[in-house]
């Protein structure tokens, strides 16, 4: 196989430079130690396991049976992963055990590698390609550790995800939005370590249409006994980057519309004489955006298929869904485009089969299909685990370091419908950090309040020793702490928006809080709770009219009163579409990671005692009557 990588930059362009992830399931794990080399690393399973998972090896070459047909028919296989989120091995760092969930899924590039090895062996390396649709380097303590605790930019070490992807032999990797979480310099370093081209045609230099990253690459397959097959792959990333990672990209990068960028580049790639054109895009297929219409469409994969002629197949991601196969008809050509999204974290591998036939000496695509292979049908590739074993072990040791002693067990299990001590601890740390930082400034005289959300219902601080792993299980995202100024009226608007998280519930309905949450598909991480002000959330009322008895310091909040609000950078940048916060004046932004602030605060105090910080300042009500 040969390749042509196409890099488009001005001569003076800068060199190329973490959302919304599911949380670990609540299955109890028995194993409490590090990764075992015995019983755990047993190689790949038989091809029959792959067949049971939905992928069946088929003849990759046959004689043409078409009327007047000429030449051979050859099937090539394109494999695709997405949203790996720094899952290198089948391990849950928050539970210190092999990953498992109720559905029996496993995770990690080590599992993906075993599936890839099997498919390559069955189909032939000369007829297979392997792509990824982004969100690779962030998502677990492994990714965090090698970006912030022992960063590869300082140590010179190879990033574990780069090491594994290089060993597997990826042919191209698209940029996801979480690639930008650790800044452009860190991203530059990771890209420089990758053997595969890292693609992002619509991530451009600010104020231009010049790609800051490689837009596309062309791979040439040389199937035995047949004419070479040229496969072009266009990489596209998510416009939401400019909101979610505003601090890292503002004034440096812009992210253009996915569809419009493809309209520009697909003809360019076709003009290179490719036989197959694939798009690897970090974008879901719903056609909707979490940020409304403030930016180009967030989840545009299906729109891409419908509106851009010349695409044969689309590997997509971002939404963390298992979509083995979807066909979309292109509005211009009437041709069907096949799409597939593999489930996140290495739980699935998308497999496209594209059949080509020689017609008048040229390859023509005559059929295409896709399916997803469950990686629980294989074992970890021992070579891939061995490659990152030392780095994995270092992270396991790090996350198991004790930081404090808790006087009692604190659980997040009810944090989505009750004011809990464990979320109040996050708010306590945020308020104290901001209070110290703005001392002596003009804003120091203002009331300081804080926002936190229930990221992980399974999070617990056990009674006794609390470790970094416990903190990481509570605060699972790599957010940094900021502070902005909001008025009382704006806080009321903000809380009303947050309260859309709840279904409307009749006053006399049975108390079943778990069934009341996630209205309008609102995720837990978008249910923000305030500390510092008191309020009721009346879920018997319609959305927009639920916040009652909003008060501060025992008196109703004056709509004009100003407050300093401690908030994470994702929210302050506009993530979740909350009102006012993205345009509010910023008074603190020291790029302090909230998880690390919690660890430092707990370590300094030595004890976590809810009597020191837990204040029940909000409650659910129905028609004015408390639910609990």
């Amino acid at each position: 196989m040969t390749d042509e990588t196409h890099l488009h930059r001005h001569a003076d362009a800068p060199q190329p430079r973490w959302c919304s992830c599911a949380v670990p399931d609540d299955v109890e794990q028995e194993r409490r130690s590090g990764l075992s080399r015995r019983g755990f690393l047993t190689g790949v399973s038989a091809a029959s396991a792959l067949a049971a998972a939905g992928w069946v090896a088929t003849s990759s070459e046959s004689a043409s049976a078409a009327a007047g047909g000429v030449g051979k028919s050859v099937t090539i296989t394109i494999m695709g992963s997405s949203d790996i989120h720094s899952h290198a091995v089948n391990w849950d760092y928050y539970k210190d055990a092999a990953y498992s969930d109720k559905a029996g899924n496993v995770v990690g590039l080590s599992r993906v590698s075993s599936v890839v090895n099997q498919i390559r062996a069955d189909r032939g390396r000369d007829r297979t390609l392997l792509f990824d649709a982004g969100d690779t380097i962030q998502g677990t303590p492994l990714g965090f550790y090698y970006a912030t605790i022992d960063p590869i930019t300082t140590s010179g070490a190879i990033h574990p995800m780069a090491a594994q992807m290089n060993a597997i032999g990826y042919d191209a990797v698209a940029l996801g939005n979480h690639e930008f979480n650790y800044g452009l310099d860190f991203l530059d370093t990771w890209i420089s370590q990758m053997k595969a081209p890292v693609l992002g045609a619509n991530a451009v230099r600010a104020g231009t249409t010049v790609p800051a990253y490689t837009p596309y690459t062309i791979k040439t397959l040389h199937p035995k006994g047949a004419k070479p097959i040229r496969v072009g792959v266009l990489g596209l990333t998510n416009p939401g980057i400019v909101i979610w990672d505003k601090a890292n990209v503002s004034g440096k990068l812009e992210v253009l519309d996915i569809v419009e960028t493809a309209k520009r580049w697909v003809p360019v790639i076709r003009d290179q004489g490719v036989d197959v054109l694939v798009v690897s895009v970090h974008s879901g297929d719903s056609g909707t955006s979490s940020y409304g219409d403030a930016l180009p469409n967030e989840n545009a994969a299906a729109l891409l298929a419908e509106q851009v002629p010349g695409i044969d197949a689309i590997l997509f991601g971002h939404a963390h869904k298992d979509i083995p196969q979807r066909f979309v008809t292109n509005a211009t050509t009437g041709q069907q485009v096949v799409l597939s999204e593999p489930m996140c974290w290495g739980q699935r591998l998308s497999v496209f089969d594209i059949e080509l036939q020689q017609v008048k000496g040229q390859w023509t695509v005559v059929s295409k299909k896709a399916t997803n292979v469950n990686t629980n049908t294989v074992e970890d590739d021992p070579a891939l685990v061995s490659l990152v074993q030392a780095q994995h072990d270092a992270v396991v040791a790090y996350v198991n370091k004790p930081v404090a002693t808790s006087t009692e067990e604190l659980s997040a299990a009810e944090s989505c419908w009750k004011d809990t001590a464990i979320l109040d601890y996050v708010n306590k740390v945020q308020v104290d950090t901001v209070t110290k930082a703005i001392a002596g400034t003009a804003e120091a005289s203002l009331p300081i309040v804080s926002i936190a959300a229930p990221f992980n219902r399974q999070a617990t601080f056990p009674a006794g020793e609390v470790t970094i792993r416990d903190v990481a299980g509570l605060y699972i995202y790599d957010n940094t702490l900021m502070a902005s100024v909001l008025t009382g009226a704006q806080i009321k608007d903000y809380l009303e928006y947050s309260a859309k998280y709840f279904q409307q519930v009749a006053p006399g309905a049975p108390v079943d809080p778990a069934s009341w949450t996630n209205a309008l598909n609102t995720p837990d991480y978008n249910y923000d709770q305030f500390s510092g002000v008191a309020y009721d959330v009346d879920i018997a009322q319609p959305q927009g009219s639920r916040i009652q008895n909003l008060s501060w310091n025992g008196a109703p909040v004056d709509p004009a009163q100003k407050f300093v609000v401690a908030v994470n950078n994702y929210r302050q940048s506009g993530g979740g579409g909350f009102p006012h916060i993205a345009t509010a004046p910023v008074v603190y932004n020291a790029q302090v990671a909230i998880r690390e602030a919690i660890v430092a605060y707990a370590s300094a105090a030595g004890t976590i005692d809810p009597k020191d910080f837990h204040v029940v300042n909000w409650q659910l009500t129905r028609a004015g009557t408390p639910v609990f």
Side-chain angles (χ1 to χ4, degrees), residues 282-541:
H282 194 75
S283 180
D285 67 341
S286 68
T288 62
S289 299
S290 64
Y291 41 70
D293 59 0
L295 291 172
N297 195 284
E298 176 183 357
N299 296 298
L303 297 174
L304 185 64
E306 180 185 15
Q307 298 178 20
V308 183
I311 299 171
D312 293 303
I314 297 176
L315 170 69
F316 67 104
H318 184 58
H320 292 200
K321 293 182 179 179
D322 184 19
I323 303 177
Q325 177 179 266
R326 178 180 177 184
F327 285 100
V328 174
T329 302
N330 184 267
T332 300
T333 66
Q335 297 296 310
Q336 294 244 291
V337 182
V338 62
L339 299 85
S340 183
E341 178 181 14
M343 190 62 181
C344 62
W345 303 357
Q347 296 178 35
R348 304 288 187 275
L349 182 74
S350 289
V351 182
F352 299 84
D353 285 333
I354 300 178
E355 182 186 5
L356 300 98
Q357 187 178 68
Q358 284 187 354
V359 178
K360 296 182 180 180
Q362 300 298 317
W363 288 115
T364 298
V365 174
V366 295
S367 73
K368 43 202 168 186
K369 62 182 180 179
T371 192
N372 285 350
V373 177
N374 194 327
T375 59
N376 69 6
T377 59
V378 298
E379 300 295 333
D380 287 75
D381 181 344
L384 266 291
V385 177
S386 178
L387 191 64
V388 299
Q389 185 79 53
Q391 290 173 305
H392 164 81
D393 289 346
V395 177
V396 170
Y398 167 74
V399 299
N400 280 287
K401 289 181 179 178
V403 295
T405 299
S406 179
T407 60
E408 60 185 85
E409 180 179 279
L410 307 180
S411 171
E414 297 184 314
S415 289
C416 294
W417 51 84
K418 285 184 179 180
D419 185 327
T420 56
I422 198 166
L423 245 62
D424 272 3
Y425 193 66
V426 175
N427 281 320
K428 172 65 172 175
V429 173
Q430 294 183 164
V431 167
D432 282 13
T433 302
V434 170
T435 299
K436 292 177 182 178
I438 67 171
T441 69
E443 291 78 19
S445 62
L446 297 179
I448 301 176
V449 298
S450 178
I451 301 170
F455 292 158
N456 180 6
R457 299 190 192 191
Q458 284 73 51
T460 301
F461 286 179
E465 184 177 274
V466 176
T467 65
I468 292 175
R469 171 168 56 85
D470 299 317
V471 174
L474 171 64
Y475 209 97
I476 62 177
Y477 300 122
D478 285 358
N479 297 328
T480 59
L481 182 60
M482 299 182 69
S484 295
V485 176
L486 293 180
T487 67
Q490 290 174 326
I491 288 176
K492 174 73 157 45
D493 289 346
Y494 192 108
L495 285 169
E496 288 286 8
Y497 183 88
S498 185
K500 70 185 180 64
Y501 171 78
F502 292 103
Q503 307 285 349
Q504 188 171 3
V505 182
V511 175
D512 184 16
S515 70
W516 300 344
T517 64
N518 307 107
L520 304 176
N521 295 315
T522 305
D524 291 353
Y525 61 77
N526 274 350
Y527 176 48
D528 281 0
Q529 306 169 15
F530 268 77
S531 71
V533 290
Y535 59 96
D536 297 338
V537 182
D538 195 330
I539 57 176
Q541 306 304 319

